[in-house]
Amino acid sequence: MNLVSPLPPGRPRAARPPRAAINDRLLSACDGPEGSTPLHEEVRQNLEHLWQYGGNRDGKTPGRRPDWILIRSPFLMQQPDTGHDPVLPRLVPARGLPLRLELFMLFDAQCRYGPEDRVRIGRTFEDVEEANQPIKSWQKVVLSDTSSNHREAAALRGRQIKEALRVLYKQHLVDIGQDKRRPGRRDLNRITLLSEASTPVNQPKYTVPTAGLYVSRHFFTSLWVFALTNTEIATFLALSARRASFPNAHKASGVFVVQKHRGQFGLKDNTWRSARDLHTYGLVDRVNDPHRDTGNGRISEFGARWNNREVMPTRFTIVDGVLEQPALPTIDRVLNNPTPEDQFRQWFD
């Protein structure tokens, strides 16, 4: 008897590449022939320059240099008395760059503008002379896997960025102006950043917030925003939100996310499992229940200890210092050439 279930109709789902392979492709991405500067180094330098000088034309006048990038809580958390779900859970399954591009634009805006300023994006897709351009083109500030000949890489990345902007437009996170030359079409050079707390009903223009969850600027300038997967980013932001809500607890013993909290974020269980990867990379420390078996994950005498309220949820502490390390080489080391400390973390998982 054949006990193998038949394949469901329709196109089979492509297998996800191993985590190390994803990182390898980002490490090897390049816009020039063999021997040229890797794209991740070029993007890192451009984002560091953006943070240092905020797009000032002379490239010498210091910019705003925010240590923390603020994100409004409604972007990832259900708000009381509203009928609108947060946007983050809808961006997590989106393929490509939408989530990364949204976060990059928040970083970009806060490096260049203050809370009372009018935010303008001002980036182009055209291949223009970059040397004296205070605002680099999209292709020079976004890292992605193009997996193509270097002569096509920048153009393919441009198409990925355009597709991501269309996704963000549908999610009410950007406004794309009408193309004056082609009626009924949108002009991707006329982009207005909308609030990350926008809803289908309320879509105000973006202003730099003065409160919210906070993420180290190194999350961007060290390229973690491009190196992490969508689920890893979402979990990191959720833990950052918990830290912002309970800073003293985070500092003292860590924050935890139990089932009732998870409902506020609307993230699936497979997303939360990415906390293990964040711990493996060293981005978070975690403290498990001391009665949990590290081999099978079970808590001994769970029923009795639960009734006595002795079961401790896993607590997490964000390690901001690790964000200062370059993301891609760090992940490469952890996955391919782990240090004794890396091995200990992996064993602890």
Side-chain angles (χ1 to χ4, degrees):
M1 180 182 298
N2 184 6
L3 299 179
V4 179
S5 301
L7 290 174
R11 184 178 180 181
R13 178 177 296 178
R16 296 178 60 188
R19 186 65 181 87
I22 296 173
N23 201 66
D24 289 344
R25 291 209 292 260
L26 292 175
L27 273 171
S28 62
C30 189
D31 281 355
E34 186 176 353
S36 300
T37 302
L39 181 63
H40 71 90
E41 292 185 11
E42 186 176 4
V43 171
R44 184 190 60 77
Q45 292 168 5
N46 287 337
L47 295 196
E48 183 69 30
H49 189 276
L50 172 61
W51 181 82
Q52 289 277 355
Y53 304 107
N56 291 323
R57 184 167 296 275
D58 61 5
K60 297 179 181 179
T61 304
R64 304 187 64 84
R65 300 183 180 182
D67 289 328
W68 304 96
I69 302 303
L70 297 174
I71 303 174
R72 290 178 172 87
S73 295
F75 175 69
L76 70 160
M77 295 180 64
Q78 179 70 52
Q79 301 301 299
D81 303 322
T82 67
H84 303 292
D85 295 329
V87 177
L88 178 62
R90 299 198 296 273
L91 292 182
V92 170
R95 298 182 61 183
L97 293 170
L99 176 55
R100 296 165 179 78
L101 196 62
E102 168 67 15
L103 295 176
F104 163 75
M105 287 192 289
L106 302 185
F107 167 76
D108 183 20
Q110 293 181 39
C111 287
R112 295 163 58 193
Y113 301 101
E116 303 298 325
D117 298 338
R118 178 188 176 190
V119 173
R120 302 184 65 178
I121 294 178
R123 296 192 186 276
T124 63
F125 289 94
E126 291 76 13
D127 185 16
V128 297
E129 177 60 43
E130 293 285 341
N132 297 316
Q133 291 290 325
I135 304 300
K136 300 291 185 182
S137 65
W138 286 107
Q139 286 93 331
K140 298 298 184 181
V141 293
V142 171
L143 176 64
S144 69
D145 167 29
T146 56
S147 299
S148 65
N149 184 284
H150 74 269
R151 294 182 178 86
E152 304 171 358
L156 177 54
R157 191 162 59 258
R159 291 195 293 272
Q160 293 173 338
I161 294 168
K162 290 177 181 179
E163 180 57 34
L165 287 169
R166 294 187 182 101
V167 172
L168 298 179
Y169 173 74
K170 293 179 181 178
Q171 296 295 340
H172 316 291
L173 295 171
V174 298
D175 182 51
I176 304 176
Q178 295 285 344
D179 191 326
K180 297 178 180 178
R181 297 173 297 178
R182 297 179 295 177
R185 302 287 294 273
R186 297 283 172 176
D187 184 353
L188 288 168
N189 284 318
R190 299 179 59 202
I191 300 169
T192 301
L193 183 61
L194 302 179
S195 170
E196 70 273 44
S198 292
T199 69
V201 176
N202 186 27
Q203 302 162 30
K205 292 182 179 180
Y206 180 80
T207 56
V208 174
T210 56
L213 68 105
Y214 49 96
V215 177
S216 169
R217 67 95 169 178
H218 294 285
F219 182 80
F220 301 89
T221 54
S222 296
L223 300 193
W224 292 98
V225 67
F226 296 118
L228 297 179
T229 65
N230 280 5
T231 56
E232 291 164 355
I233 292 173
T235 302
F236 185 82
L237 293 180
L239 293 176
S240 297
R242 295 290 291 168
R243 171 172 68 171
S245 297
F246 302 98
N248 292 333
H250 177 270
K251 184 177 181 180
S253 59
V255 293
F256 57 88
V257 186
V258 295
Q259 198 62 41
K260 70 176 183 179
H261 304 138
R262 293 186 179 191
Q264 296 177 317
F265 296 101
L267 299 172
K268 296 182 178 179
D269 287 344
N270 70 309
T271 299
W272 290 110
R273 285 194 286 271
S274 292
R276 173 175 294 181
D277 300 311
L278 298 177
H279 176 258
T280 298
Y281 307 147
L283 296 178
V284 301
D285 282 333
R286 71 182 194 181
V287 179
N288 287 320
D289 189 299
H291 293 82
R292 186 183 298 275
D293 188 313
T294 57
N296 58 30
R298 296 176 180 174
I299 298 177
S300 60
E301 301 180 359
F302 178 83
R305 295 187 61 244
W306 176 267
N307 291 333
N308 291 331
R309 297 183 178 181
E310 296 175 352
V311 176
M312 185 183 78
T314 302
R315 293 178 179 269
F316 297 93
T317 303
I318 295 173
V319 186
D320 292 304
V322 174
L323 291 169
E324 299 180 28
Q325 302 176 13
L328 295 171
T330 298
I331 294 175
D332 178 69
R333 185 203 73 222
V334 169
L335 297 181
N336 296 316
N337 298 288
T339 65
E341 182 180 356
D342 296 332
Q343 292 175 334
F344 177 78
R345 283 183 173 273
Q346 293 174 25
W347 174 83
F348 190 71
D349 282 332

